[in-house]
């Protein structure tokens, strides 16, 4: 199922902290005063190459043949960019890629959009256009018949809108339309070295931005103040801010925050959950610290329990293990401490982690019942927070990827509340 990411959630809620910073145009942030001492960390990164995209198409076609799918349809979004390089928006006018099990893909787009769509096309593909008085799905159907797949199963990428599905169903009556997940997830869930390198660069930027921002947090600051600093640092370091959520005091007890006013005070628990993109690939790192005073016994104890929870999850994330077993291991540890049970509060009210890559939240999740086995190239967040309603919460989040030798961190978790950035 399509997933609601944190950025859209925060913008929808209109939270005073991270959402305010997220909603600001990046060009406005970029015009702000340069930050002395911060230099881009991304000058040497390599974008995804044309050869890699061609390899993705070949992989998708092999999977289509294995699953008896004649072609897949992909609307604008991360999957379209993943396979074709095309960066495009969704509107009522259909732009889509049709990738057949054999031969060249085709991009279908309005006539007047062709030059713009072609600018980012990164594979060997045809572009076919439709005029304003034509039915675009009829053009798709004609292409499928031309390629001889008019009587096979057609896969629809999981985020495609109903009108695309319904229009194709009308244009190809009797055609079997199925989920393209075996193909799209089969490709995107396992990252290549080039993708891992971009995610590593994004994590490096976010961690460096934390190291600049956190020491500059002052009493009286609001979440928006802190988010602005974090986003400015991210831009200076060469990343594109994706989200910057800041929760202070009691608001930290609610994973995605509160609309109530929040101000930093001595002894406040501050949770920051921030990420950026580098060449379209994301980071997602959370840090929790206590401002301007020695942590209380409870604050320190919960922080140390979450730090241990991260390590429990990491140890459980071995090649071949069920993804759900990672969440089970953490939840069992927390329940042994008296939290829960399961999602009850105080405790861990959300999954232990989510997939990550070109999107902040991707399949699959580290959640109870997930039966997918961990394999090389899969990437996840590790964020088993603990939340105490009416008091505070702690979230530590670092992402890892699966290697031939097991899990490997993108960012190293901190080990002490006295050094909350590691």
């Amino acid at each position: 199922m399509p997933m609601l990411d944190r950025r859209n959630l925060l913008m929808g809620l209109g939270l005073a902290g991270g959402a305010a910073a997220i909603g600001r145009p990046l060009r406005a942030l970029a015009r702000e005063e340069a930050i002395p001492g911060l230099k881009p960390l991304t000058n040497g990164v390599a974008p995804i190459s044309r050869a890699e995209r061609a390899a993705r198409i070949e992989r998708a076609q092999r999977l289509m043949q294995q699953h008896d799918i004649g072609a897949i349809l992909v609307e604008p979004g991360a999957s379209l960019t993943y396979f074709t390089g095309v960066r495009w928006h969704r509107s009522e006018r259909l732009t889509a890629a049709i990738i057949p099990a054999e031969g060249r893909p085709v991009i279908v787009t309005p006539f007047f959009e062709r030059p713009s769509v072609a600018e980012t096309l990164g594979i060997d593909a045809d572009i076919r256009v439709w005029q304003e008085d034509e039915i675009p799905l009829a053009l798709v159907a004609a292409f499928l018949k031309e390629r001889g797949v008019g009587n096979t199963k057609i896969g629809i990428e999981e985020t495609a809108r109903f009108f695309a599905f319904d229009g194709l169903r009308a244009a190809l009556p009797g055609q079997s339309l199925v989920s393209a997940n075996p193909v799209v997830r089969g490709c995107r869930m396992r990252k290549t070295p080039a993708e891992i390198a971009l995610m590593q660069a994004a994590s490096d930027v976010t961690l460096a931005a934390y190291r600049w921002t956190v020491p500059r947090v002052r009493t009286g600051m609001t979440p928006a103040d802190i988010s602005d600093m974090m986003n400015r640092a991210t831009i200076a370091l060469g990343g594109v801010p994706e989200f910057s959520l800041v929760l202070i005091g009691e608001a930290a007890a609610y994973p995605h925050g509160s609309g109530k006013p929040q101000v930093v005070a001595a002894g406040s628990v501050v949770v920051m959950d921030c990420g950026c993109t580098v060449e379209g690939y994301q980071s997602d790192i959370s840090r929790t610290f206590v401002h301007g005073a020695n942590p209380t016994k409870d604050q320190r104890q919960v922080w140390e329990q979450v730090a241990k929870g991260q390590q429990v999850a990491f140890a459980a994330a071995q090649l071949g293990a069920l993804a759900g077993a990672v969440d089970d291991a953490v939840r069992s540890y927390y329940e042994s401490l008296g939290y829960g049970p399961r999602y009850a509060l105080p405790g861990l009210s959300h999954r232990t982690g989510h997939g990550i890559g070109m999107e902040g939240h991707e399949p699959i999740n580290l959640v109870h019942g997930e039966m997918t086995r961990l394999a090389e190239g899969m990437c996840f967040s590790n964020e088993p927070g603990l939340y105490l309603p009416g008091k505070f919460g702690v979230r530590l989040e670092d992402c890892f990827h699966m290697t031939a030798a097991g899990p490997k961190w993108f960012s190293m978790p901190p080990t002490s509340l006295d050094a909350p950035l590691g």
Side-chain angles (χ1 to χ4, degrees):
M1 292 178 61
M3 287 184 244
L4 179 67
D5 63 36
R6 227 167 321 189
R7 174 176 178 156
N8 289 333
L9 173 65
L10 292 173
M11 292 182 73
L13 290 175
L15 297 186
I22 291 167
R24 299 179 60 192
L26 294 183
R27 60 181 179 274
L29 288 171
R31 284 198 300 267
E32 293 181 3
E33 183 181 356
I35 300 177
L38 291 189
K39 303 294 183 185
L41 302 179
T42 57
N43 288 339
V45 301
I48 298 300
S49 68
R50 194 176 184 91
E52 172 135 349
R53 291 199 200 281
R56 293 173 178 179
I57 297 295
E58 292 175 4
R59 168 73 172 154
Q61 290 178 326
R62 288 196 299 272
L63 288 170
M64 279 185 254
Q65 292 163 18
Q66 291 172 19
H67 292 276
D68 193 29
I69 294 174
I72 63 171
L73 182 144
V74 182
E75 274 210 272
S79 291
L80 182 68
T81 303
Y82 176 87
F83 286 115
T84 71
V86 173
R87 298 178 184 273
W88 201 243
H89 57 277
R90 294 188 178 193
S91 75
E92 77 282 5
R93 295 182 174 99
L94 181 75
T95 290
I98 300 88
I99 305 173
E102 294 181 355
R104 285 158 56 98
V106 67
I107 309 296
V108 171
T109 194
F111 167 75
F112 66 91
E113 302 285 24
R114 187 189 195 285
S116 301
V117 168
E119 285 182 359
T120 54
L121 182 60
I123 60 169
D124 184 20
D126 297 327
I127 299 180
R128 299 192 182 185
V129 300
W130 56 276
Q131 302 293 350
E132 291 278 66
D133 61 349
E134 295 179 322
I135 300 173
L137 274 306
L139 188 64
V140 174
F143 171 78
L144 293 171
K145 291 177 181 177
E146 176 187 309
R147 289 299 176 90
V149 295
N151 295 315
T152 64
K153 292 185 291 186
I154 305 300
I156 308 298
E157 198 267 342
E158 63 185 315
T159 69
R161 292 166 293 176
F162 179 75
F163 89 87
F165 169 87
D166 194 46
L168 189 57
R169 181 172 59 181
L172 292 171
Q175 187 85 34
S176 177
L177 303 184
V178 300
S179 170
N181 279 356
V183 178
V184 177
R185 289 190 179 189
C187 291
R188 288 187 57 190
M189 278 173 50
R190 299 183 66 173
K191 275 63 175 180
T192 64
E195 293 178 285
I196 296 293
L198 292 174
M199 294 176 69
Q200 184 63 64
S203 293
D204 292 345
V205 166
T206 297
L207 202 54
Y210 270 123
R211 290 178 176 143
W212 185 86
T213 301
V214 170
R216 290 168 172 79
V217 173
R218 299 288 182 266
T219 299
M221 282 186 171
T222 66
D225 296 328
I226 301 170
S227 292
D228 274 353
M229 289 197 301
M230 187 71 183
N231 287 335
R232 288 180 58 215
T234 296
I235 291 169
L237 290 160
V240 177
E242 182 68 17
F243 57 90
S244 182
L245 173 64
V246 179
L247 309 174
I248 301 171
E250 182 187 347
Y254 314 112
H256 286 147
S258 165
K260 296 179 181 178
Q262 303 164 45
V263 178
V264 175
S268 295
V269 169
V270 180
V271 172
M272 295 181 65
D273 185 348
C274 306
C276 74
T277 62
V278 171
E279 294 291 339
Y281 283 81
Q282 296 204 15
S283 61
D284 192 355
I285 302 175
S286 297
R287 293 291 180 261
T288 299
F289 58 94
V290 175
H291 173 75
N294 290 327
T296 67
K297 179 181 178 181
D298 285 348
Q299 289 169 342
R300 187 176 295 278
Q301 175 176 280
V302 175
W303 194 99
E304 290 173 351
Q305 290 168 338
V306 173
K308 176 66 179 297
Q310 273 198 303
Q311 296 302 323
V312 168
F314 190 75
Q318 297 301 315
L319 289 172
L322 297 176
V326 179
D327 185 73
D328 292 342
V330 173
R331 221 162 287 278
S332 176
Y333 164 62
Y334 283 168
E335 289 177 6
S336 76
L337 301 175
Y339 293 109
R342 288 176 49 77
Y343 301 98
L345 294 171
L348 172 56
S349 53
H350 57 71
R351 63 199 173 202
T352 292
H354 54 78
I356 185 170
M358 294 181 70
E359 296 171 285
H361 290 184
E362 294 186 356
I364 53 171
N365 297 312
L366 303 179
V367 65
H368 175 73
E370 176 54 65
M371 302 301 289
T372 304
R373 295 193 180 275
L374 303 186
E376 187 173 354
M378 291 182 176
C379 302
F380 300 97
S381 72
N382 180 343
E383 49 180 315
L386 285 172
Y387 307 98
L388 288 67
K391 296 180 179 179
F392 64 91
V394 172
R395 181 159 66 249
L396 302 176
E397 177 183 13
D398 295 273
C399 294
F400 65 90
H401 59 99
M402 300 302 299
T403 74
K408 182 178 180 180
W409 294 109
F410 282 109
S411 55
M412 289 299 296
T415 59
S416 170
L417 183 51
D418 299 315
L421 300 181

